[in-house]
Amino acid sequence: MSKFDSTSEKVETVEAVSVSSDSLDDAYANAPVGKATNFQAYVNVVSVLAGAGTLGLPAALRDAGWIGVLILLLACAMAIYANQKLIKCLYYDGRTRLREYPDVAHAAFGLPGRILVAFFYNSIALGGPVLYLILTGTNVHDLASSVGSDITLKQWIIIFAAIMTVPIILTKTMREVAFLSIFGALSTAVVVVIVMIAAILDSKNIGLVTKTSGVVEAIHHDVAIARHLPLALATFSFSYGGNVIFPHVEESMQHKRAWNKIILWGILTVTVLYLMCSTSGYAVYGDIVKSPIYQNLPGGAIRTISTIIITLHVLLAIPLFLTTFNLQIEAALKLESRGLSKKAEFLIRAVTRTLSMVLVATIALFFPYFGQMMSLLGALSDGMLTFVFPVVFYLKLFGIKKVSKLELVAIAFIIVIGIAGAAIGTVDAVKELAKAYRGGH
């Protein structure tokens, strides 16, 4: 990382100059040389987005009605546009490449912008692994308990934290994480297909399903549920959160000019998975669909296999987020520019990354309301980080005069939708946090 060690200092002194696409040649030439192929970058994008939350989308469609499909497609288009503009902002001055999302915020709005984005940015980069570790421990504890295991939930969390410390230390950059991402991307696709087939088979007669009372009745579908549309919008929008990692994915690429195509095909791929899972689940189970959808399936091998695959996916997604978090720490320490031997550099990296995993495990073990707090931070940050901030920074850095009227309308629309989703999601998350707090006292 020695080629961009001084990026943070450059951010403070560089002038906010509007540039055309043609003047970005020098910036691309001066950017760090990556080794990841376009396919590796594509797999990273898909793995970041297509997480375990995919299986909760049928419930979101249940809340919105069939019109939720249009909302999902809208969120898809917004995510593609915003993530293309975010990466373009890294090269805004035409001379150098900014390193990550907070650097873009600093270039646009100075230190206040950096602090605001860095807070939400790191809450996801560090908080995501905590939630994944809790989910992994919970799923394995439930499966193991069913066969007589006496290992507690906290002990499982410690075991998996220790196991994941090894790949976190050994995966130096996002390129090395790609081999873990391949499993993550495939596992979600496999589970979606399994759930689709199992759901159809479980419905002995299409249009009929066994209700919780045991009575077989006609399932119910809605075209649109007006009072739940804003909440569904927030839910679908958050399914495209992940751009805290995208600058590092793009940085690792050999051919950085291919980013727009990579993010386009990556988001379209997960959107196909989202549509397959949400529409098939809602079509079969209608108003009784659960989140995650495999809870609707009868107990047995199919549910167990689905749980195991998703558990492996979220476990292997931990290095994706923690590598992003640790790269910031190592850049701040200027680890590769200190002239240290490879052995000394590896030792320092191993210590800092082990400490980050210890921090994640400690929070997972001892913070009882962390899930609710992350929901609140996620509601506040996902809509803003995913949609609003990228287009606002783009306008600020490139200038409104450089943007067409049609594009300005699109940007204004994205800002309104993003803020609305964040506000609605925040209200819901605050209610859940208050409910959990009252339940614990």
Side-chain angles (χ1 to χ4, degrees):
M1 277 182 272
S2 59
K3 293 186 179 182
F4 49 82
D5 285 331
S6 59
T7 297
S8 296
E9 289 85 357
K10 291 179 180 178
V11 171
E12 299 180 14
T13 58
V14 75
E15 296 179 1
V17 181
S18 296
V19 295
S20 65
S21 297
D22 293 337
S23 65
L24 296 177
D25 291 344
D26 289 341
Y28 278 112
N30 294 328
V33 178
K35 297 181 180 180
T37 64
N38 288 351
F39 179 73
Q40 287 175 320
Y42 163 80
V43 170
N44 272 330
V45 169
V46 172
S47 185
V48 167
L49 295 177
T54 305
L55 302 181
L57 292 179
L61 201 58
R62 173 201 65 200
D63 294 336
W66 284 116
I67 198 173
V69 173
L70 296 180
I71 297 176
L72 176 60
L73 294 176
L74 173 64
C76 167
M78 290 166 55
I80 292 171
Y81 179 82
N83 283 304
Q84 289 177 344
K85 297 308 178 187
L86 173 63
I87 299 304
K88 186 174 181 179
C89 286
L90 296 174
Y91 300 91
Y92 84 99
D93 74 341
R95 297 191 298 273
T96 58
R97 179 194 185 276
L98 302 181
R99 183 165 181 269
E100 55 192 1
Y101 205 151
D103 292 340
V104 175
H106 193 136
F109 294 103
L111 185 59
R114 175 183 287 275
I115 292 173
L116 178 64
V117 168
F119 173 76
F120 293 129
Y121 179 98
N122 287 305
S123 72
I124 294 175
L126 188 61
V130 175
L131 292 181
Y132 288 161
L133 191 59
I134 293 172
L135 179 59
T136 298
T138 301
N139 285 350
V140 173
H141 176 260
D142 291 343
L143 290 173
S145 297
S146 66
V147 295
S149 173
D150 294 327
I151 300 177
T152 66
L153 172 59
K154 288 189 175 182
Q155 288 172 334
W156 280 119
I157 289 176
I158 293 171
I159 289 170
F160 285 110
I163 292 173
M164 294 314 296
T165 300
V166 176
I168 288 169
I169 291 174
L170 296 179
T171 51
K172 182 179 177 181
T173 67
M174 293 303 296
R175 176 175 176 266
E176 285 80 18
V177 181
F179 79 96
L180 295 176
S181 302
I182 292 175
F183 176 84
L186 291 176
S187 65
T188 298
V190 169
V191 171
V192 167
V193 173
I194 290 175
V195 168
M196 283 177 59
I197 295 173
I200 294 172
L201 293 177
D202 186 41
S203 181
K204 297 179 177 60
N205 298 294
I206 300 297
L208 297 176
V209 72
T210 302
K211 300 280 187 171
T212 54
S213 62
V215 179
V216 177
E217 298 178 358
I219 58 175
H220 178 70
H221 300 93
D222 291 286
V223 175
I225 304 176
R227 66 182 183 279
H228 291 159
L229 288 181
L231 182 59
L233 170 62
T235 302
F236 285 128
S237 297
F238 298 157
S239 299
Y240 291 99
N243 57 7
V244 296
I245 293 178
F246 292 160
H248 294 285
V249 174
E250 188 266 352
E251 179 185 67
S252 71
M253 292 171 58
Q254 293 177 16
H255 309 292
K256 294 179 172 55
R257 292 181 184 275
W259 172 256
N260 282 358
K261 292 182 180 179
I262 297 300
I263 194 64
L264 170 66
W265 288 111
I267 290 178
L268 288 178
T269 299
V270 297
T271 299
V272 169
L273 288 176
Y274 292 167
L275 288 170
M276 290 170 60
C277 186
S278 59
T279 57
S280 63
Y282 185 53
V284 173
Y285 294 107
D287 55 332
I288 68 165
V289 70
K290 299 178 181 178
S291 178
I293 186 177
Y294 58 71
Q295 291 184 359
N296 282 98
L297 305 180
I302 292 178
R303 181 185 290 191
T304 299
I305 292 171
S306 298
T307 302
I308 291 173
I309 294 176
I310 284 297
T311 299
L312 286 172
H313 180 189
V314 297
L315 181 66
L316 295 180
I318 290 176
L320 273 173
F321 287 86
L322 270 189
T323 297
T324 298
F325 179 76
N326 282 299
L327 284 174
Q328 294 182 78
I329 296 176
E330 290 159 15
L333 294 174
K334 299 182 179 180
L335 189 57
E336 292 192 354
S337 65
R338 292 179 177 272
L340 300 173
S341 65
K342 290 186 177 180
K343 184 176 181 180
E345 182 183 318
F346 176 80
L347 181 61
I348 295 174
R349 180 175 288 108
V351 170
T352 56
R353 295 193 175 201
T354 299
L355 290 175
S356 71
M357 193 68 240
V358 170
L359 176 60
V360 165
T362 301
I363 297 173
L365 289 169
F366 298 109
F367 191 22
Y369 305 118
F370 185 79
Q372 289 80 5
M373 281 298 298
M374 274 304 299
S375 294
L376 175 58
L377 289 175
L380 281 168
S381 61
D382 279 349
M384 303 302 287
L385 287 174
T386 303
F387 301 129
V388 178
F389 289 159
V391 296
V392 170
F393 296 160
Y394 173 69
L395 282 179
K396 180 65 165 60
L397 294 175
F398 286 85
I400 293 179
K401 293 181 179 180
K402 298 287 184 178
V403 180
S404 68
K405 291 182 179 180
L406 180 61
E407 197 172 15
L408 278 175
V409 172
I411 289 173
F413 180 76
I414 290 174
I415 292 173
V416 171
I417 295 297
I419 292 176
I424 294 163
T426 298
V427 171
D428 186 61
V430 168
K431 291 179 180 177
E432 289 298 316
L433 180 61
K435 181 179 178 180
Y437 180 81
R438 287 195 298 269
H441 289 78

